Amino acid sequence: MNEILQYTIQGLAAGSFYAVAALGLAVIFGVLGVVNFAHGACYMLGAVVAAVLQDLLGLSLWWALLVVPVLLFVFGVVIERLFVQWLLRLEPLYNFLLTFGLSLFLVDLVKRQYGVSGLPYELPDVLAGQLALGGVRLPTYQVFVFVASLLVCAAVWLVMTRTRVGMIVRAATERPDVARALGVNVGRWITPVFGFGIALAGLAGVLAAPFRAITADMGSSFIIILFAVVVIGGLGSIVGAVVAGFLVGLVEAFGQAYASAFSQIVVFVLMAVVVLLRPAGLFGREERA
């Protein structure tokens, strides 16, 4: 029983990164119809910026959780204004190639500046210990990441469901044609939504900074799992992205515990089963001609 609790907490902590990052990816795809392949690189960039700010300015994790997402939001706005907006009316393949090229550029830029070895990141003392939960001792930071991710997802959900801005963004995400028919200027929301999605990827990177090795390639494997997450949850589904993120984290944790040789395959087996049973994903909607 203690082992199950331990693996569950570990899985939820790992799934927290997927949930927060997939939330941004789902919002971007829903409003823009853009498959942002650079999302993994932006996740990496969030971790790298946090490490650099700590090294140069002594910026703690608490400040990084506030500052880095703002910097990534600005970065996302600039990228959308300079590049993405010109390709929105073309085939989706063009934006996919654009974001893929951007991902390669960011990875090579970080490698050129900081090399291929991992950057160090120090935890605050209050998060460096362990907590006893139900007879199981767990790293305090894993519990913190899980709780922080839940709060972020809950805050986004409240904004999306309880505010006028959220209502407009949801309408533009789920039914853009109807939103336009009702007089909503969907194009007006494209830039801030893209920046918001990138900011969530950066936030996930900051949360991962003390937990995983900070390298230029840390987003490469992350983006592959992230696409599996959004497919399982349903492309463009905000709730699906969060639920699938935590679900994939649990599958990974129990897969590594009981079938370590197949731990990476289990996620894609789950994705295949979901696509066979529900082609639109767990919370996605079937498109009709």
Side-chain angles (χ1 to χ4, degrees):
M1 187 64 183
N2 288 342
E3 286 186 356
I4 293 176
L5 178 60
Q6 182 174 0
Y7 297 144
T8 299
I9 298 297
Q10 290 176 349
L12 291 175
S16 301
F17 308 127
Y18 299 137
V20 174
L23 185 59
L25 191 60
V27 170
I28 290 175
F29 180 82
V31 176
L32 283 74
V34 172
V35 180
N36 182 24
F37 198 84
H39 217 67
C42 294
Y43 159 82
M44 173 273 295
L45 205 59
V48 170
V49 171
V52 171
L53 289 178
Q54 186 182 70
D55 181 54
L56 295 180
L57 304 177
L59 206 68
S60 67
L61 175 68
W62 311 113
W63 280 106
L65 290 172
L66 297 175
V67 173
V68 175
V70 173
L71 295 177
L72 267 292
F73 174 83
V74 175
F75 174 75
V77 167
V78 171
I79 292 299
E80 196 280 331
R81 289 285 87 191
L82 290 180
F83 304 109
V84 175
Q85 67 163 331
W86 306 109
L87 303 178
L88 290 178
R89 296 181 181 180
L90 302 179
E91 292 291 329
L93 177 62
Y94 289 97
N95 261 311
F96 178 82
L97 292 175
L98 169 67
T99 56
F100 179 71
L102 177 62
S103 176
L104 295 178
F105 172 77
L106 291 175
V107 169
D108 286 344
L109 185 66
V110 172
K111 283 183 178 178
R112 182 179 180 86
Q113 184 68 29
Y114 301 105
V116 295
S117 58
L119 297 173
Y121 197 88
E122 295 183 6
L123 269 177
D125 293 337
V126 68
L127 298 177
Q130 290 187 333
L131 290 177
L133 297 175
V136 177
R137 298 191 67 83
L138 298 168
T140 304
Y141 189 70
Q142 286 187 359
V143 179
F144 166 75
V145 166
F146 172 59
V147 174
S149 299
L150 280 182
L151 291 176
V152 170
C153 294
V156 173
W157 179 81
L158 286 174
V159 170
M160 290 293 185
T161 59
R162 297 291 186 268
T163 66
R164 177 176 174 80
V165 171
M167 182 181 65
I168 294 174
V169 172
R170 274 193 304 124
T173 300
E174 298 173 6
R175 300 294 297 274
D177 50 344
V178 176
R180 290 189 181 95
L182 293 175
V184 176
N185 185 0
V186 175
R188 176 185 177 186
W189 297 93
I190 286 178
T191 300
V193 165
F194 190 85
F196 178 68
I198 298 300
L200 286 176
L203 177 61
V206 177
L207 290 172
F211 191 70
R212 298 183 176 177
I214 306 175
T215 64
D217 293 319
M218 66 183 291
S220 301
S221 58
F222 183 79
I223 189 62
I224 297 174
I225 301 295
L226 201 60
F227 277 129
V229 169
V230 296
V231 169
I232 292 170
L235 287 173
S237 173
I238 295 173
V239 175
V242 175
V243 173
F246 286 112
L247 178 61
V248 167
L250 288 172
V251 169
E252 273 193 339
F254 282 97
Q256 290 174 358
Y258 297 107
S260 58
F262 304 98
S263 59
Q264 294 296 323
I265 302 175
V266 173
V267 174
F268 298 101
V269 171
L270 174 63
M271 181 183 70
V273 171
V274 170
V275 170
L276 286 174
L277 298 178
R278 287 186 57 85
L282 295 177
F283 294 88
R285 295 182 178 180
E286 296 282 357
E287 291 188 8
R288 297 180 181 178

